[in-house]
Amino acid sequence: DVKVTQSSRYLVKRTGEKVFLECVQDMDHENMFWYRQDPGLGLRLIYFSYDVKMKEKGDIPEGYSVSREKKERFSLILESASTNQTSMYLCASSFQSTYEQYFGPGTRLTVT
Amino acid sequence: AQSVTQLDSQVPVFEEAPVELRCNYSSSVSVYLFWYVQYPNQGLQLLLKYLSGSTLVKGINGFEAEFNKSQTSFHLRKPSVHISDTAEYFCAIHSTGGGNKLTFGTGTQLKVEL
């Protein structure tokens, strides 16, 4: 079974803190994705990566950065957390050729 | 650019009744279509997918969907729902000219009542 794990299920941070969200997949997938999920807005793509050290902006990259130093790990970084970044963050991965994405359980981040 | 519309944000239904969750898409090129389910406090799980071939696609948990190219739709159906089907359902599209990304709809909350 494909497994995508995220470092925390729940996280509470203060405004201005630097926040790291980690995602690890065990299926040797080339592609990895970070989404945020908000009520009524569905899933919105923040960043994705199609190879180690490669990244592309998604639909809402402002206020976020990413890092992919190893194929299995994709990190989302909030350089200076703000209250409007309170959300559910979902990581996903896929093979280059199949498009079907496998999701982690999500991290619910609250910024106070 | 492609887009997905899920017109119904919430669908209440009684147990053992049939249900249809609607999904319409917009794309100028060939598409692959997906339905995902999200149970409370969990990530998304793939229900079914249409890549090519038969337009009627069967998925897990008794769900099926029909790809209708002329109506640009991919509605999800189940003939008899259970309490355990209560979840949020997302339709997603991959366009052949869209790189490796999926575009998701805003989701439909299915609430099954006794």
Side-chain angles (χ1 to χ4, degrees):
Chain A
D1 273 358
V2 176
K3 194 165 185 182
V4 180
T5 57
Q6 296 184 229
S7 49
S8 306
R9 293 300 305 274
Y10 300 93
L11 209 52
V12 179
K13 295 292 182 181
R14 293 194 183 275
T15 301
E17 278 193 83
K18 190 168 187 176
V19 181
F20 293 87
L21 302 183
E22 304 284 338
C23 175
V24 177
Q25 50 94 5
D26 66 357
M27 279 301 292
D28 204 35
H29 285 163
E30 296 92 356
N31 302 327
M32 295 189 76
F33 307 84
W34 275 107
Y35 296 91
R36 66 175 282 175
Q37 181 182 11
D38 300 288
L41 297 178
L43 276 71
R44 293 180 292 168
L45 182 64
I46 303 171
Y47 267 97
F48 71 100
S49 169
Y50 51 89
D51 201 352
V52 175
K53 296 191 186 295
M54 305 302 288
K55 62 185 179 185
E56 284 198 23
K57 293 180 180 179
D59 301 317
I60 52 164
E62 296 77 20
Y64 304 94
S65 63
V66 291
S67 173
R68 194 166 180 202
E69 297 295 319
K70 293 185 177 181
K71 190 174 186 179
E72 68 271 19
R73 188 179 297 268
F74 192 35
S75 302
L76 180 70
I77 303 154
L78 287 66
E79 293 290 343
S80 177
S82 64
T83 55
N84 62 13
Q85 293 178 310
T86 291
S87 187
M88 170 72 90
Y89 290 87
L90 293 165
C91 176
S93 68
S94 75
F95 286 117
Q96 202 79 275
S97 56
T98 60
Y99 312 117
E100 173 185 336
Q101 294 183 14
Y102 295 84
F103 283 81
T107 296
R108 188 168 293 281
L109 173 67
T110 302
V111 183
T112 62
Chain B
Q2 62 270 20
S3 64
V4 177
T5 302
Q6 293 181 250
L7 285 173
D8 305 307
S9 59
Q10 293 187 18
V11 174
V13 62
F14 288 109
E15 193 174 37
E16 298 184 9
V19 71
E20 178 180 86
L21 306 184
R22 296 181 294 168
C23 173
N24 288 89
Y25 69 90
S26 173
S27 177
S28 59
V29 296
S30 299
V31 297
Y32 302 138
L33 292 155
F34 305 82
W35 274 101
Y36 283 84
V37 60
Q38 185 180 34
Y39 299 105
N41 298 315
Q42 294 186 28
L44 275 68
Q45 177 184 354
L46 183 70
L47 265 182
L48 49 79
K49 60 187 176 186
Y50 171 78
L51 303 180
S52 64
S54 172
T55 57
L56 184 62
V57 180
K58 294 192 181 297
I60 62 171
N61 301 340
F63 283 92
E64 63 182 31
E66 186 158 17
F67 171 58
N68 188 321
K69 189 174 182 179
S70 63
Q71 298 192 5
T72 60
S73 67
F74 190 54
H75 301 331
L76 181 71
R77 302 185 182 100
K78 186 169 183 178
S80 175
V81 295
H82 301 284
I83 287 285
S84 60
D85 293 322
T86 294
E88 190 153 24
Y89 293 79
F90 292 92
C91 183
I93 182 175
H94 173 272
S95 295
T96 54
N100 294 299
K101 298 179 289 183
L102 294 180
T103 300
F104 286 84
T106 52
T108 297
Q109 180 67 45
L110 176 64
K111 186 172 182 182
V112 182
E113 302 169 352
L114 291 171

